[in-house]
Amino acid sequence: MNNKRKNVLLWYRSSTGSAALEFSLIFIPFIMAFLFLAELCRVVYISSALDLILAESSYRTSLRQPDSDYHAYFTKALNKRLGVWPLFTKENKISVSAQYCDDIAALIENGKHCSSTHAVGKPLALYHVNIHYQPLFFLFPTVMVEQRWKRKVAFVQEFQRGEL
């Protein structure tokens, strides 16, 4: 019995394998922190790229002639620009909508009194873009980042601005 006790004490006091244990205790949090930073950089990059894509697409759409279909042109321009930027894939679900308003008061009320189909004679356009973001490393719950992917931008339709 005394010999068993002595062997247990020797095993307990032994330092063999301590480097592997210390490495595993440090390596796992290091990898998690690295993946967290990589996901955070990806979130910031996609958010900035989405803002730029939205601004460019809506600007180009606002320069269209009054007889054109603004919503279709905006969707086409947005999809064209999304295909050029990395990290936007076909798996990202993007919904696009547009509302056309008569005056600034209607626009300020978040488009409650605006039309989503009739653009002629309405000089203000409010474009909405929603992207459903899927985290790559699954460190963020989707609920936390969902609200950050809703973008709105208002533009004056250039060829209809005399009606403001």
Side-chain angles (χ1 to χ4, degrees):
M1 181 89 107
N2 194 14
N3 196 16
K4 268 188 173 179
R5 193 172 175 179
K6 192 175 188 181
N7 286 340
V8 169
L9 281 174
L10 283 175
W11 177 79
Y12 183 71
R13 292 181 183 166
S14 173
S15 64
T16 58
S18 64
L21 181 64
E22 290 172 1
F23 177 77
S24 66
L25 289 174
I26 297 299
F27 184 72
I28 293 170
F30 174 75
I31 290 298
M32 289 181 66
F34 180 76
L35 292 178
F36 175 77
L37 286 175
E39 188 69 33
L40 189 61
C41 290
R42 184 173 178 256
V43 165
V44 170
Y45 174 80
I46 289 177
S47 177
S48 299
L50 185 63
D51 289 340
L52 179 66
I53 290 167
L54 179 62
E56 287 179 351
S57 300
S58 54
Y59 173 71
R60 294 287 179 203
T61 304
S62 71
L63 297 177
R64 300 292 294 174
Q65 294 293 331
D67 59 345
S68 59
D69 185 7
Y70 289 112
H71 188 271
Y73 185 81
F74 175 72
T75 305
K76 182 180 174 185
L78 187 77
N79 288 332
K80 178 182 171 186
R81 285 174 176 76
L82 281 173
V84 174
W85 284 86
L87 301 181
F88 283 106
T89 62
K90 302 253 185 228
E91 297 168 2
N92 291 346
K93 297 176 184 173
I94 298 171
S95 59
V96 178
S97 65
Q99 294 178 324
Y100 308 101
C101 305
D102 292 326
D103 56 1
I104 294 176
L107 188 69
I108 290 173
E109 292 177 6
N110 222 2
K112 291 179 184 174
H113 304 291
C114 299
S115 171
S116 60
T117 56
H118 184 65
V120 177
K122 299 189 184 274
L124 297 174
L126 183 63
Y127 297 104
H128 304 265
V129 175
N130 293 330
I131 185 167
H132 302 284
Y133 175 72
Q134 294 292 328
L136 187 62
F137 301 115
F138 304 105
L139 294 177
F140 296 122
T142 308
V143 176
M144 285 179 61
V145 295
E146 189 74 31
Q147 64 186 357
R148 293 190 159 261
W149 303 106
K150 295 178 183 177
R151 299 289 195 262
K152 293 180 186 178
V153 65
F155 265 85
V156 175
Q157 307 294 47
E158 289 294 323
F159 288 101
Q160 298 180 21
R161 68 181 173 175
E163 299 176 19
L164 271 178

